Amino acid sequence: MAEQLAAAAAAALGPLLKAYWALAAGSVIATLLPVPLPRAFKDAVTLAACRGKLWHSKPDALGPLRDWSVPQSWFLHFYLLGAACNAATLAAFACCGAAGAAAAAGGAAAGRAALALALFQFHLLRRAAETAFIMRYPRDARMHGIAYLFGLSYYAAVPLSLLPDGWLRSLPHALAAPTGAAACVDGWRAEAGELLKQGPAVAALAGTGAATFLLGNALQFASHLALARLAGDAQRRSEKTAYRIPRGALFELVSCPHYLAEIIIYCGLALAAGGSANTLLMLVWVSVNLVLAAGATQAWYRARFKTYPEKRRALVPYVY
């Protein structure tokens, strides 16, 4: 009976992840477009996206829950939880792959998933270190409690979304298979070998994804470093606000190059993972959510600073 329940749960996991990403992306798309939905719904979605500088201009929504917030510095929790979940998923995938469960994913799909998980682990550790040691969040920088809870679920869902559907369906068998350090090493070798055996086209796609991913990480790190320096300068000068007009590099073209970098990062992940349905839905959600956040950030800068550069776009140079 327990095995049947586990099998049913594993079979439902793939569709549940797709529904998770589709509902998350759909709510933001409905907020961005002139879809005839109640204003309260759109304001609630917008409120959930408000954090940091946007918190004090948040819409009136959710009634008594409007002001439920946590420190923006709690972003660190996302990356710590994500790193733990992703590391566990990565280890299980390699070990169970050696026992034959990952073979259900089919050839290069197992290798692509292992690559995507390894890349994502790098991103999570980088963001955790960056948030803990580089970023400078003002004391009044907050984010909504709903956004915090969603963020926790998000970083638990991403590692599972990088796995092939075939492996998700075989999860009960995979977890029941004997594992060990030697089996994990064998699993990594098998997955890497499967990826390399698929020929130059598949290898080139995976390599392009990895390169795109690393480019996005470099751009995001440079952008966050610039923002941290701005906040640090303001604190040293005892200025009333830590927010100033960012200057230099890609900030001369867009208000939110760190958001653009995030989209590039997830484009790279989707390519490295072979463009599965879950990774594409995840990319859609990341993109539309950051379009919403970048538009609100651009509006805030223009309202706050009368000398804000008129030609500077919100997210994509020369376009939006």
Side-chain angles (χ1 to χ4, degrees):
M1 183 64 177
E3 292 181 1
Q4 291 177 342
L5 290 175
L13 186 55
L16 283 175
L17 285 170
K18 291 179 177 63
Y20 175 89
W21 295 118
L23 288 172
S27 64
V28 179
I29 292 172
T31 300
L32 289 169
L33 299 178
V35 178
L37 288 174
R39 171 49 56 184
F41 173 83
K42 295 190 174 186
D43 285 346
V45 173
T46 303
L47 174 59
C50 289
R51 57 183 179 268
K53 63 178 72 68
L54 303 178
W55 178 250
H56 301 291
S57 57
K58 59 186 180 294
D60 187 7
L62 297 181
L65 293 178
R66 178 177 184 264
D67 296 317
W68 176 38
S69 67
V70 299
Q72 191 181 7
S73 59
W74 282 17
F75 260 75
L76 178 61
H77 300 173
F78 299 158
Y79 308 124
L80 294 178
L81 174 66
C85 291
N86 193 75
T89 303
L90 186 58
F93 188 57
C95 293
C96 296
R112 289 197 297 259
L115 173 62
L117 287 166
L119 291 172
F120 193 55
Q121 188 71 11
F122 166 80
H123 173 68
L124 291 166
L125 294 176
R126 193 215 99 215
R127 289 291 289 124
E130 191 177 83
T131 303
F133 303 113
I134 296 178
M135 299 301 294
R136 296 175 180 269
Y137 295 105
R139 292 181 180 179
D140 61 346
R142 313 287 294 181
M143 63 176 161
H144 200 274
I146 292 178
Y148 176 71
L149 294 178
F150 177 80
L152 293 175
S153 73
Y154 171 89
Y155 281 99
V158 171
L160 294 174
S161 300
L162 295 175
L163 294 173
D165 282 345
W167 194 82
L168 289 173
R169 288 191 294 270
S170 69
L171 189 57
H173 169 73
L175 295 178
T179 59
C184 290
V185 173
D186 290 341
W188 277 104
R189 289 175 178 170
E191 287 158 12
E194 287 290 349
L195 181 58
L196 294 175
K197 285 192 298 184
Q198 298 304 308
V202 173
L205 182 64
T208 300
T212 302
F213 171 88
L214 294 174
L215 173 64
N217 270 272
L219 173 59
Q220 191 174 68
F221 177 76
S223 301
H224 284 158
L225 188 61
L227 291 174
R229 285 172 176 168
L230 274 181
D233 289 344
Q235 290 175 4
R236 283 191 292 272
R237 296 175 184 177
S238 300
E239 296 180 5
K240 293 182 179 180
T241 177
Y243 300 113
R244 296 155 65 186
I245 300 177
R247 301 286 186 182
L250 205 57
F251 277 109
E252 298 300 328
L253 298 177
V254 295
S255 297
C256 304
H258 48 312
Y259 292 168
L260 175 60
E262 187 85 351
I263 294 173
I264 294 172
I265 287 168
Y266 280 88
C267 282
L269 275 181
L271 284 172
S276 65
N278 281 331
T279 58
L280 293 177
L281 286 170
M282 182 170 63
L283 174 60
V284 170
W285 182 83
V286 168
S287 300
V288 296
N289 183 58
L290 293 179
V291 164
L292 176 66
T297 301
Q298 176 89 332
W300 185 91
Y301 274 127
R302 293 198 183 284
R304 182 91 175 190
F305 302 103
K306 303 305 180 185
T307 59
Y308 197 73
E310 293 184 5
K311 293 184 178 180
R312 189 178 296 186
R313 296 293 184 260
L315 184 65
V316 182
Y318 311 110
V319 178
Y320 170 76

